[in-house]
Amino acid sequence: MFLDELVITDKFGGTIRTVKFKKGLNLILGISDKKGTTNNIGKTTLIRCIDFCLGGKIDQIYMDKEFKNKNINVYDFLQKNQPSFQLKIKDDLASESITHTISRTIYFDNNKIKSTDAIIAHGNNVEFKDFNTELKKIFFDSTSQKPTFRELIAKFIRKDDQQVSNVLNYVSPYTSAAVYEKIHLFLFGFSFDGILQKKNDIEKKLKKNTDVLDMLRSQFDIKDLIQILNILKKDLRELTQKRDEFKIDEKYELEEEELKDIQIRLMSIEKNISDLQLKKAISETQRDNIQKDFFTQDIGSLKLMYEEVKFYTENMHKSFEEVVAFHNKMLKNELNYTLNKIKQYNADLSKLAHNRQIIAKKYSDILKRLSKTGSLAEYTKLNEQIEKISEKRGRTEQQIEDIQKNQKLCDDLKTELQNIVNQIDQKLVYFDEKLAKFNSFFTSYSKKLYDQEFFLSYKQDNDIIKFSIKDMNGNEGPGKKQAIISAFDLAYINFINALNLKFPKFSAIDKVEIVDVDKLSQLFDISNEIKGQLIIPIIYDKIENIYKKYEKDSIITLSESNKFFKF
């Protein structure tokens, strides 16, 4: 996708500014005033207007990001004119047809600055639920939720310090390594198919079930429990055999059968009690973890998440304090649900314990009746021993069953996880081929500029793929970093052309004045050789000696008498 034209009109339809873009180098030229400054003429405003059209925040147009001051003149201009910004996009600059027109109109509602958004495709209005989601479909041919459009487009519009000072980590200082993993893999052609999200979901399930398994095996592992169960079965067989061989009168045979029935019922109750006690223990652990997650004094991690969302969201209606309150409310709801489960488990355990007490009393009463007959004293003692061992056997069998069930679940999850890891490794083989294609352009440009071969690399760190820029000779200075960023972005345009990816084929970069003029000239030459667009604000004084060579590449000249918004 190429930028074709930006048209800014006032609320009456009058044209304020039209900027026509071209293939190759696009210079935004700033002419110094008598004091030698180009401040407040709008040299960077064009880039900010492009970003605004692509879902960026309104306040970047009238706010000084460094000093947090409102430019009153620009703000008053916006309030008076309530301008419309129309960014026209083409698939091919040689074509006469406009593929898409992205329109955002500023208006004021109760002194609050807002915008209405519209997209026109081939002359027809496009209906959409979410503006940025539709933009991602247009510019990246993707409808996936992650990475977001604003996370991706930040690489193509470098206007703030974070973006112009970092080749790869250009989104915001609050963006996590996991988010950057998805951004970089997406940009360099990794085929997702939801595979990373599946991996993340399985890892969470595996962690939860592993914790349960560790709890079950905290005292004995399954081998120990099997040995214990075998011993209990042996003891129970011996005692049962003795009892069965015991000769009693026929009048006591009915009580003997009832005792056997009660023992079976008691074993069943013990298994159920053991199962509920395990579930209660798991819920109590969840309760403790939820209580730890409440934000009171230490709210640093939530602050980072809030700032990241705020970075991308134009109209953040909730304050940080409200976000904290909402977070704690959600945790409270989850806590209440867990506490209710624990309460229900306690009630069920109490009911089972009561039933066990009733049945055990009945068992005891029968034994007492039998024990009054002297000849049955030994028989009664045998039954008491059988009862105790039967209860322990029931608990042990339940524990073994729980361990086996959770072990199988963990094994199945590990198998599923390994299959996904194998799929990722297989995809990374093809991904490496794509990365090699990019590096063929990147190393060529960096060698041409500095006689050093920079390249893009990655490694897996704690299951997260992290990307980095490497060279053979150590760290680069700020001026070199700026030029390398430009070389990186131009190499990326060559890369997406080579792979025929439907991605943006433009790069807008601010603050290139610190790059040496001879390196600027080389960058300008490279940008005019590729099938893409490099948009750069530059002070005329910086390139005065080479300006004649690139005069044809100037798309707009700004000065004290010709400011961007013409006021």
Side-chain angles (χ1 to χ4, degrees):
M1 304 295 287
F2 295 91
L3 302 182
D4 179 68
E5 189 177 50
L6 175 69
V7 179
I8 305 172
T9 57
D10 62 26
K11 59 184 176 182
F12 302 110
T15 301
I16 297 171
R17 175 72 70 181
T18 299
V19 181
K20 188 74 174 177
F21 300 98
K22 57 183 281 295
K23 176 180 171 294
L25 180 62
N26 290 253
L27 291 177
I28 306 167
L29 202 63
I31 306 297
S32 303
D33 60 16
K34 294 179 180 179
K35 296 180 181 179
T37 180
T38 58
N39 292 338
N40 298 319
I41 63 174
K43 186 164 51 70
T44 308
T45 303
L46 174 57
I47 293 181
R48 298 191 181 279
C49 289
I50 294 171
D51 188 60
F52 169 63
C53 288
L54 299 181
K57 297 167 70 174
I58 297 176
D59 64 7
Q60 64 179 305
I61 297 175
Y62 62 85
M63 290 290 292
D64 185 299
K65 197 169 184 68
E66 183 177 357
F67 299 104
K68 308 296 182 183
N69 295 327
K70 181 188 292 185
N71 186 317
I72 300 299
N73 291 331
V74 174
Y75 189 83
D76 289 345
F77 164 82
L78 296 176
Q79 193 167 32
K80 177 183 177 182
N81 291 277
Q82 299 189 28
S84 293
F85 297 76
Q86 290 190 333
L87 186 63
K88 299 178 182 180
I89 310 297
K90 284 184 175 181
D91 284 335
D92 186 351
L93 284 176
S95 171
E96 294 293 326
S97 174
I98 299 295
T99 309
H100 291 86
T101 298
I102 300 161
S103 176
R104 302 193 78 188
T105 300
I106 290 176
Y107 70 97
F108 283 77
D109 182 14
N110 293 326
N111 289 323
K112 288 186 178 180
I113 188 167
K114 298 181 179 181
S115 72
T116 57
D117 309 324
I119 298 174
I120 300 171
H122 303 288
N124 299 312
N125 286 321
V126 176
E127 294 185 4
F128 53 84
K129 292 182 178 180
D130 181 77
F131 185 58
N132 285 336
T133 300
E134 191 65 29
L135 290 179
K136 185 177 181 182
K137 189 189 302 182
I138 294 169
F139 282 91
F140 295 98
D141 195 24
S142 172
T143 56
S144 62
Q145 290 185 338
K146 296 292 182 179
T148 68
F149 174 73
R150 292 300 300 166
E151 288 168 344
L152 294 171
I153 203 65
K155 188 208 111 18
F156 301 88
I157 306 175
R158 298 179 184 264
K159 56 186 177 56
D160 300 320
D161 289 340
Q162 179 75 19
Q163 296 157 340
V164 300
S165 302
N166 293 274
V167 180
L168 294 171
N169 296 346
Y170 45 75
V171 180
S172 89
Y174 308 107
T175 304
S176 67
V179 172
Y180 274 123
E181 174 191 51
K182 292 179 176 61
I183 293 172
H184 296 143
L185 287 173
F186 182 94
L187 288 174
F188 286 94
F190 184 88
S191 177
F192 277 85
D193 301 327
I195 196 168
L196 293 178
Q197 186 59 49
K198 289 179 186 175
K199 178 173 176 282
N200 184 59
D201 292 342
I202 292 172
E203 286 171 341
K204 286 182 179 179
K205 290 179 183 177
L206 182 59
K207 173 68 169 60
K208 182 179 178 180
N209 283 282
T210 300
D211 290 344
V212 172
L213 196 57
D214 289 342
M215 186 186 302
L216 288 168
R217 298 184 303 198
S218 59
Q219 187 174 8
F220 297 110
D221 64 24
I222 195 164
K223 291 182 180 179
D224 296 333
L225 290 170
I226 290 173
Q227 293 302 318
I228 291 171
L229 182 61
N230 288 334
I231 293 170
L232 291 172
K233 286 180 177 179
K234 178 182 73 66
D235 292 344
L236 199 57
R237 279 195 307 270
E238 292 174 354
L239 289 170
T240 302
Q241 185 178 355
K242 284 183 180 180
R243 184 188 65 182
D244 292 344
E245 291 173 353
F246 199 90
K247 301 298 182 181
I248 60 174
D249 294 339
E250 289 183 5
K251 63 180 180 179
Y252 298 116
E253 288 181 358
L254 185 61
E255 283 86 349
E256 182 188 12
E257 292 301 320
E258 192 173 357
L259 283 174
K260 291 179 181 178
D261 179 63
I262 290 173
Q263 285 168 357
I264 293 172
R265 290 165 66 187
L266 284 172
M267 284 177 62
S268 176
I269 288 175
E270 285 299 329
K271 286 187 71 173
N272 291 336
I273 287 175
S274 179
D275 184 49
L276 284 173
Q277 285 174 337
L278 172 63
K279 292 177 178 178
K280 177 185 171 184
I282 293 170
S283 293
E284 286 175 339
T285 300
Q286 290 174 338
R287 174 200 63 195
D288 296 340
N289 289 335
I290 293 169
Q291 289 173 334
K292 289 177 184 177
D293 284 339
F294 274 96
F295 286 102
T296 52
Q297 300 299 321
D298 182 15
I299 56 175
S301 58
L302 186 60
K303 180 72 171 176
L304 290 178
M305 289 186 285
Y306 174 82
E307 292 296 337
E308 183 172 356
V309 174
K310 188 178 178 182
F311 180 84
Y312 295 110
T313 305
E314 184 177 321
N315 297 312
M316 175 64 81
H317 300 296
K318 300 294 183 182
S319 67
F320 176 64
E321 290 73 20
E322 289 174 315
V323 172
V324 172
F326 178 75
H327 172 85
N328 287 338
K329 182 180 178 181
M330 295 297 291
L331 284 178
K332 187 175 181 180
N333 291 340
E334 187 178 355
L335 179 62
N336 288 337
Y337 173 74
T338 304
L339 291 174
N340 286 333
K341 282 204 301 183
I342 294 172
K343 184 178 179 181
Q344 185 61 50
Y345 291 146
N346 284 329
D348 293 342
L349 284 168
S350 178
K351 186 183 294 184
L352 285 171
H354 179 67
N355 290 340
R356 180 176 61 182
Q357 186 178 12
I358 293 173
I359 296 172
K361 185 177 185 305
K362 189 174 182 181
Y363 188 90
S364 179
D365 290 343
I366 295 173
L367 288 178
K368 282 181 182 178
R369 289 201 307 271
L370 292 173
S371 65
K372 289 178 181 178
T373 305
S375 62
L376 294 179
E378 186 180 349
Y379 182 80
T380 302
K381 185 177 179 181
L382 284 171
N383 275 313
E384 288 175 345
Q385 291 175 316
I386 288 171
E387 178 193 5
K388 290 179 181 177
I389 294 176
S390 295
E391 290 177 359
K392 190 170 183 180
R393 174 186 170 177
R395 291 194 299 269
T396 304
E397 285 178 335
Q398 184 62 51
Q399 193 171 355
I400 290 172
E401 184 181 322
D402 289 336
I403 289 175
Q404 289 174 333
K405 182 175 68 175
N406 280 276
Q407 183 65 64
K408 184 179 185 307
L409 188 55
C410 287
D411 291 342
D412 290 344
L413 287 170
K414 286 177 182 177
T415 300
E416 193 175 353
L417 182 61
Q418 187 58 52
N419 289 337
I420 288 180
V421 169
N422 292 340
Q423 290 178 48
I424 291 175
D425 289 342
Q426 188 175 6
K427 287 175 178 288
L428 286 175
V429 172
Y430 298 109
F431 181 75
D432 287 342
E433 295 174 2
K434 294 177 181 178
L435 202 62
K437 174 66 70 175
F438 169 79
N439 280 327
S440 69
F441 300 120
F442 187 34
T443 55
S444 173
Y445 291 162
S446 60
K447 186 173 179 62
K448 183 176 181 180
L449 287 166
Y450 294 106
D451 199 29
Q452 286 181 251
E453 294 182 318
F454 289 85
F455 62 95
L456 180 64
S457 178
Y458 72 87
K459 66 177 181 178
Q460 289 194 338
D461 185 6
N462 293 326
D463 293 329
I464 293 178
I465 298 173
K466 295 183 178 180
F467 286 75
S468 61
I469 300 296
K470 294 185 177 180
D471 63 56
M472 305 295 183
N473 300 307
N475 298 323
E476 60 272 24
K480 185 182 292 187
K481 175 69 73 74
Q482 209 78 18
I484 289 301
I485 287 175
S486 303
F488 180 92
D489 287 353
L490 291 173
Y492 185 78
I493 293 174
N494 268 349
F495 168 74
I496 61 176
N497 281 326
L499 269 63
N500 198 28
L501 294 174
K502 191 181 175 183
F503 286 4
K505 295 178 182 178
F506 59 84
S507 178
I509 308 172
D510 194 13
K511 302 182 180 179
V512 297
E513 286 91 348
I514 57 176
V515 179
D516 292 340
V517 67
D518 59 326
K519 305 305 178 189
L520 277 177
S521 180
Q522 289 178 305
L523 279 174
F524 292 172
D525 290 342
I526 293 171
S527 66
N528 277 327
E529 293 169 359
I530 68 169
K531 188 181 178 182
Q533 297 168 304
L534 179 64
I535 304 164
I536 293 180
I538 195 78
I539 300 172
Y540 171 77
D541 295 349
K542 177 73 178 184
I543 59 170
E544 182 177 5
N545 293 334
I546 60 172
Y547 176 67
K548 284 293 183 184
K549 182 178 179 181
Y550 304 105
E551 185 176 7
K552 66 182 184 308
D553 299 313
S554 175
I555 59 171
I556 184 173
T557 300
L558 302 172
S559 64
E560 188 64 30
S561 60
N562 183 35
K563 294 183 178 182
F564 186 80
F565 286 124
K566 298 183 178 181
F567 58 78

